[in-house]
């Protein structure tokens, strides 16, 4: 990437008064502007139903940036002056015509060369309607590039995802559609490829000869909060597994691409998703566990169970926890289980990947009756960022005993301060036309195809909920899932740096 590359574009943010725009998009655009990664030739049109003047909208943008920034930038007024507002009805052609004329004037004023980015930061049921209107009402008829950025969820299942994709494809080609998965913008997720393909000590071992299992965990301490209505129609399987978890598995399991470009990386990820073993009805309970949190303690504070949350059915069958065993039926990974685990109201907030290597063929320390700890490579994604390599070594005074030690790199110092927020990185990628860290339709379709079998089985088989306390590590059945194979979950914890 050329650090001084300054793309220019007119960005339309649909849902510009919403939470996502205020918490993520405006601060991320400001950081790009402040760092010089955004050309002076840019403009943003905020689009939403609420009636606001340009001045009111610019004040909202400044407040959003100030609340997110550690230091208020000197050029915040200049940044906000590039923002304009349009009160919009997504079903009204006249409103789109007004927006088209407004965009044409700003395009000329800011010399954006006809480059347009349409960011849909709003309810997914409007995605198809907006895309069709953008095409029919002339907003996509531009001299430069046009790109559509869409937040998850992309559909509710494979059938609805196909219908939505067909609507969007009436206005945008596949290479113009940028489906955001913000996990792919996280620094350590992007680092998976570097760790694998830039280190000779790892890539030769990255296969079923040397790895016994891989664990991917993403846990939250928060409950569903005010998202009860959404979560009742989603659940952890659709909300987390279909996108974030399977994307991380694909990056961990993919073959080395011919080149590090969008097409080749996507091609290898798709091959992984195609090779994942399908889980049919009678196998779901063997390979997957679901859970729903009950009341418990979080940070010594009592919290209610999921069924007591706002806008949640008191008899809800919706899962807030999923653990699963994935098998990838190809030459590299045959026989190696990929365990995934995600849940709400768990004992700590943590997203990490644990690669467990196989034990050595013979324990030379058997005479001392010492059990050797397995070698682990741990990739910490959030809240800390870093890598820990767990080894066995001799410490001074321990004679010939092997002692577990950790070699750690924590991205929490000076490097961490300058680590781009996930949305900042993804917005910059989109403006430069780099779709590597966005999901292709083939990935979406294959993920839904895999997940649908499980969700359909769960929908017709009521669960015994709640089955784990808030503040715990999830239901006991998830431990049994690994115990059957002779493994156990590695603890959910923070990155510990230890000098060896």
């Amino acid at each position: 990437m050329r650090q001084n590359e300054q793309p220019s574009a007119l960005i339309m943010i649909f849902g510009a008064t919403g939470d996502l725009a205020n918490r993520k998009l405006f601060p991320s655009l400001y950081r790009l502007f402040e760092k010089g990664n955004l050309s002076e030739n840019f403009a943003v049109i905020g689009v939403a139903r609420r009636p606001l003047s340009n001045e009111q909208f610019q004040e909202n943008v400044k407040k959003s940036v100030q609340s997110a920034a550690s230091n208020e930038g000197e050029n915040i007024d200049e940044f906000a002056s590039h923002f304009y507002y349009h009160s919009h009805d997504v079903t009204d052609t006249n409103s789109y015509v007004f927006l088209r004329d407004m965009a044409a004037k700003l395009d000329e004023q800011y010399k954006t060369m006809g480059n347009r980015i349409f960011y849909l930061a709003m309810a997914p049921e409007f995605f198809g309607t907006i895309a069709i209107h953008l095409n029919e009402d002339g907003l996509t008829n531009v001299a430069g590039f046009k790109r559509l950025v869409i937040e998850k969820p992309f559909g509710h299942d494979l059938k609805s995802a196909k219908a939505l994709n067909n609507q969007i494809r009436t206005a945008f080609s596949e290479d113009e559609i940028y489906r955001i998965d913000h996990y792919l913008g996280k620094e350590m997720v992007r680092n998976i490829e570097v760790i694998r393909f830039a280190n000779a000590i790892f890539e030769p071992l990255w296969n079923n000869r040397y790895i016994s299992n891989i664990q991917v965990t993403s846990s939250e301490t928060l409950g569903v909060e005010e998202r009860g209505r959404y979560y009742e129609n989603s659940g952890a399987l659709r909300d987390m597994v279909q996108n974030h978890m399977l994307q991380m598995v694909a990056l961990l399991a993919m073959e080395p691409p011919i080149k590090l470009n969008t097409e080749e990386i996507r091609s290898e990820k798709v091959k992984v998703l195609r090779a994942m073993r399908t889980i049919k009805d009678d196998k779901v309970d063997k390979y997957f566990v679901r859970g729903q949190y009950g009341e418990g303690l979080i940070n010594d504070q009592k919290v209610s169970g999921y069924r007591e949350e706002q806008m949640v059915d008191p008899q809800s069958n919706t899962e807030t926890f999923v653990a699963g065993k994935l098998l990838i039926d190809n030459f590299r990974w045959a026989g190696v289980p990929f365990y995934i685990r995600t849940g709400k109201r768990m004992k700590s907030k943590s997203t990490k990947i644990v690669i467990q290597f196989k034990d050595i063929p013979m324990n030379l320390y058997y005479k001392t009756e010492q059990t050797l700890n397995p070698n682990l490579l741990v990739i910490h994604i959030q809240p800390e960022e870093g890598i820990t390599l767990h080894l066995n070594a001799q410490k001074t005074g321990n004679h010939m005993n092997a002692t577990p030690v950790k070699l750690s790199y924590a991205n929490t110092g000076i490097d961490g301060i300058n680590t781009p927020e996930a949305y900042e990185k993804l917005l910059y990628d989109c403006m430069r036309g780099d779709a590597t860290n966005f999901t292709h339709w083939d990935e979406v379709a294959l993920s839904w195809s895999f997940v649908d079998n499980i969700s359909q089985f769960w929908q017709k088989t009521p669960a015994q909920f709640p089955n784990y306390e808030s503040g715990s590590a999830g239901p006991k059945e998830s431990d049994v899932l690994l115990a059957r194979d002779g493994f156990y979950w590695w603890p959910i914890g923070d990155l510990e740096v230890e000098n060896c």
Side-chain angles (χ1 to χ4, degrees), residues 187-257:
E187 197 65 27
M188 292 311 298
V189 173
R190 300 167 79 97
N191 250 306
I192 291 172
E193 295 169 46
V194 181
I195 292 167
R196 286 191 56 188
F197 304 134
N199 292 290
I201 63 170
F202 290 134
E203 182 52 30
L205 309 181
W206 213 265
N207 54 59
N208 53 11
R209 291 183 61 194
Y210 300 103
I211 292 177
S212 67
N213 73 90
I214 293 178
Q215 300 178 16
V216 183
T217 294
S218 183
S219 64
E220 298 180 71
T221 55
L222 292 175
V224 294
E225 310 303 316
E226 71 282 354
R227 299 173 70 224
R229 179 177 295 147
Y230 162 76
Y231 212 80
E232 276 290 271
N233 293 312
S234 172
L237 187 68
R238 292 187 176 100
D239 187 51
M240 288 292 295
V241 175
Q242 185 270 333
N243 37 71
H244 307 321
M245 305 301 281
L246 293 187
Q247 281 293 318
M248 286 191 282
V249 168
L251 287 169
L252 289 163
M254 62 185 268
E255 292 294 321

Side-chain angles (χ1 to χ4, degrees), residues 115-374:
N115 296 329
R116 299 269 173 89
I117 294 175
F118 306 92
Y119 197 121
L120 307 191
M122 56 191 309
E125 58 261 31
F126 298 117
F127 290 175
T129 300
I130 293 171
I132 290 171
H133 272 286
L134 290 175
N135 181 50
E136 292 181 349
D137 299 326
L139 279 92
T140 58
N141 185 19
V142 293
F145 64 70
K146 63 180 191 294
R147 293 168 189 153
L148 181 72
V149 185
I150 299 180
E151 287 282 335
K152 77 175 182 77
F154 194 88
H156 184 72
D157 52 19
L158 181 57
K159 181 180 178 181
S160 61
K162 283 181 176 178
L164 174 58
N165 199 56
N166 289 338
Q167 286 181 307
I168 291 172
R169 289 295 295 273
T170 62
F172 298 88
S173 62
E174 178 58 35
D175 62 359
E176 295 172 332
I177 301 171
Y178 288 67
R179 301 175 187 85
I180 278 213
D181 183 332
H182 69 270
Y183 268 56
L184 297 181
K186 293 183 182 296
E187 197 65 27
M188 292 311 298
V189 173
R190 300 167 79 97
N191 250 306
I192 291 172
E193 295 169 46
V194 181
I195 292 167
R196 286 191 56 188
F197 304 134
N199 292 290
I201 63 170
F202 290 134
E203 182 52 30
L205 309 181
W206 213 265
N207 54 59
N208 53 11
R209 291 183 61 194
Y210 300 103
I211 292 177
S212 67
N213 73 90
I214 293 178
Q215 300 178 16
V216 183
T217 294
S218 183
S219 64
E220 298 180 71
T221 55
L222 292 175
V224 294
E225 310 303 316
E226 71 282 354
R227 299 173 70 224
R229 179 177 295 147
Y230 162 76
Y231 212 80
E232 276 290 271
N233 293 312
S234 172
L237 187 68
R238 292 187 176 100
D239 187 51
M240 288 292 295
V241 175
Q242 185 270 333
N243 37 71
H244 307 321
M245 305 301 281
L246 293 187
Q247 281 293 318
M248 286 191 282
V249 168
L251 287 169
L252 289 163
M254 62 185 268
E255 292 294 321
I258 299 170
K259 295 179 180 177
L260 289 175
N261 61 28
T262 301
E263 292 75 19
E264 298 301 335
I265 291 172
R266 279 178 167 177
S267 175
E268 298 303 335
K269 287 165 65 182
V270 166
K271 289 177 185 177
V272 172
L273 297 172
R274 283 178 178 158
M276 281 197 313
R277 186 178 300 179
T278 302
I279 311 298
K280 295 294 186 182
D281 281 6
D282 59 339
K283 300 286 187 180
V284 170
D285 287 341
K286 180 181 176 183
Y287 287 92
F288 273 79
V289 170
R290 56 180 161 165
Q292 185 189 94
Y293 64 83
E295 62 181 23
L297 296 175
I298 298 286
N299 297 325
D300 297 323
Q301 298 291 320
K302 187 175 181 180
V303 294
S304 59
Y306 175 74
R307 291 180 175 182
E308 287 77 54
E309 302 279 16
Q310 297 179 27
M311 295 177 286
V312 169
D313 183 352
Q315 302 299 320
S316 175
N317 198 47
T318 300
E319 77 286 350
T320 62
F321 174 97
V322 174
K325 173 184 174 181
L326 309 179
L327 293 174
I328 299 170
D329 293 326
N330 63 17
F331 193 80
R332 180 182 289 261
W333 295 112
V336 178
F338 283 69
Y339 299 110
I340 59 172
R341 172 176 56 166
T342 182
K344 291 187 174 294
R345 284 283 187 232
M346 297 179 73
K347 64 181 180 181
S348 64
K349 176 180 174 65
S350 177
T351 300
K352 69 178 182 181
I353 297 162
V354 180
I355 296 95
Q356 180 174 338
F357 293 92
K358 290 184 176 179
D359 295 334
I360 57 174
M362 184 180 73
N363 181 4
L364 295 174
Y365 295 86
Y366 69 94
K367 290 182 180 179
T368 63
E369 298 182 352
Q370 181 181 3
T371 301
L372 292 179
N373 289 282

Side-chain angles (χ1 to χ4, degrees), residues 20-56:
L20 174 65
N22 282 284
R23 284 195 308 110
K24 298 293 185 182
L25 303 185
F26 301 153
S28 295
L29 285 169
Y30 174 70
R31 283 192 290 268
L32 290 173
F33 179 77
E34 190 178 34
K35 293 174 183 177
N37 290 332
L38 192 58
S39 166
E40 290 285 338
N41 300 327
F42 85 97
V44 178
I45 302 177
V47 180
R49 288 187 63 88
R50 190 179 306 172
L52 291 175
S53 66
N54 286 338
E55 292 74 20
Q56 288 174 315

